[in-house]
């Protein structure tokens, strides 16, 4: 399977996916660390994280997939949500919590 | 790399968005030495105010900025913190 197909499978089979530098336990970049912190604050306990430093094919591949030039990148139920700034903005407005809760409710029903 | 010229270049590239205001803070020094900064690109904090953002989501606004800066991303720019406002939104921010 090529990288683009693998990414598509990852973002569609896992409800919350973060492409990041480092791991949630040991982020290697301030922006990635921040995205993890926000997701933790939202109570996300099913995060699927891809460390693009450990898996270099995703580092370029994810930028092509979303046509978005930076990492981290957050996906919820297959949909590209944004990078660190947008995730923070959506958390501050409560939009992110709402979105995550909606997806959780959909999965439960 | 001369960071002053990168800031000027960013400003020139963003002219296409007809911004009313642009603020660019070069934060490269704060990140010097971390693993991701090795490629040499700088870290910038950008605030941009443009009527072209009206009716657009954050995602769409960020895409407009990234598109304008496309050839600079990952060459001169390693990381960009971005705040994109319409003039009306910007006026409502209590402390500019």
């Amino acid at each position: 399977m090529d990288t683009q197909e693998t990414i598509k499978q990852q973002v569609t089979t896992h409800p919350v996916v973060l492409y990041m530098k480092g791991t949630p336990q040991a982020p290697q970049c301030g922006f990635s660390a921040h995205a993890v912190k926000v997701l933790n604050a939202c109570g996300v306990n099913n995060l699927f994280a891809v460390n693009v430093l450990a898996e270099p094919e995703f580092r370029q591949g994810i930028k092509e997939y979303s046509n978005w030039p930076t990492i981290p990148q957050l996906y919820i139920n297959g949909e590209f949500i944004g990078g660190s700034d947008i995730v923070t903005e959506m958390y501050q407005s409560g939009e992110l919590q709402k979105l995550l809760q909606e997806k959780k409710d959909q999965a439960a029903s | 790399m001369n960071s002053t010229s990168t800031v000027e270049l960013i400003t020139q590239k963003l002219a296409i968005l007809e911004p009313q205001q642009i603020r660019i803070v070069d934060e490269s020094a704060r990140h010097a030495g971390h693993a991701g900064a090795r490629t040499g690109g700088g870290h910038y904090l950008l605030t941009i105010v443009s009527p072209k953002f009206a009716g657009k989501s954050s995602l769409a606004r960020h895409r407009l900025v990234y598109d304008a800066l496309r050839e600079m991303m990952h060459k001169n720019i390693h990381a960009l913190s971005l705040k994109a406002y319409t003039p009306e939104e910007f006026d409502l921010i209590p402390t500019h």
Side-chain angles (χ1 to χ4, degrees):
Chain A
M1 203 178 343
D2 79 3
T3 308
Q4 295 300 311
E5 282 173 46
T6 308
I7 290 171
K8 189 165 188 189
Q9 199 181 52
Q10 285 171 338
V11 300
T12 48
T13 52
H14 302 278
V16 188
V17 184
L18 185 69
Y19 293 83
M20 64 178 289
K21 293 180 180 173
T23 63
Q25 293 73 30
Q28 298 292 308
C29 153
F31 297 99
S32 289
H34 190 74
V36 169
K37 210 158 106 183
V38 169
L39 292 171
N40 283 338
C42 291
V44 171
N45 52 15
N46 55 349
L47 176 64
F48 182 84
V50 178
N51 178 359
V52 303
L53 297 179
E55 299 179 80
E57 69 273 24
F58 292 117
R59 189 168 180 172
Q60 187 53 35
I62 196 62
K63 293 174 186 170
E64 286 164 14
Y65 183 80
S66 55
N67 188 28
W68 188 263
T70 56
I71 289 163
Q73 294 188 12
L74 176 68
Y75 292 78
I76 298 177
N77 281 22
E79 190 195 343
F80 176 53
I81 303 302
S84 174
D85 290 327
I86 291 179
V87 168
T88 304
E89 223 172 82
M90 289 176 72
Y91 174 68
Q92 284 166 350
S93 71
E95 212 180 322
L96 185 64
Q97 295 88 319
K98 213 173 120 191
L99 186 65
L100 287 162
Q101 190 56 47
E102 274 170 18
K103 301 295 177 188
K104 223 185 252 177
D105 292 346
Q106 277 172 15
S109 63
Chain B
M1 191 181 62
N2 183 334
S3 65
T4 309
S5 67
T6 300
V7 168
E8 280 166 11
L9 206 54
I10 293 173
T11 309
Q12 285 168 17
K13 297 273 180 202
L14 291 174
I16 196 170
L17 296 176
E18 296 166 20
Q20 294 190 351
Q21 285 206 53
I22 292 183
R23 283 181 198 173
I24 304 167
V25 180
D26 185 345
E27 294 197 312
S28 305
R30 281 181 52 195
H31 300 273
H34 93 73
R38 269 186 220 131
T39 48
H43 286 62
Y44 299 92
L45 183 64
L46 169 66
T47 305
I48 176 167
V49 181
S50 165
K52 287 193 184 275
F53 296 140
K56 291 192 166 65
S57 67
S58 289
L59 196 67
R61 294 176 187 193
H62 284 223
R63 279 201 194 281
L64 282 175
V65 172
Y66 287 144
D67 282 346
L69 299 176
R70 185 164 294 275
E71 55 202 71
M72 295 184 74
M73 295 303 298
H74 298 286
K75 287 179 193 155
N76 326 53
I77 302 172
H78 168 73
L80 188 67
S81 270
L82 191 51
K83 290 190 192 303
Y85 303 105
T86 62
E88 292 77 16
E89 289 164 352
F90 194 66
D91 278 345
L92 291 173
I93 300 172
T95 49
H96 285 181

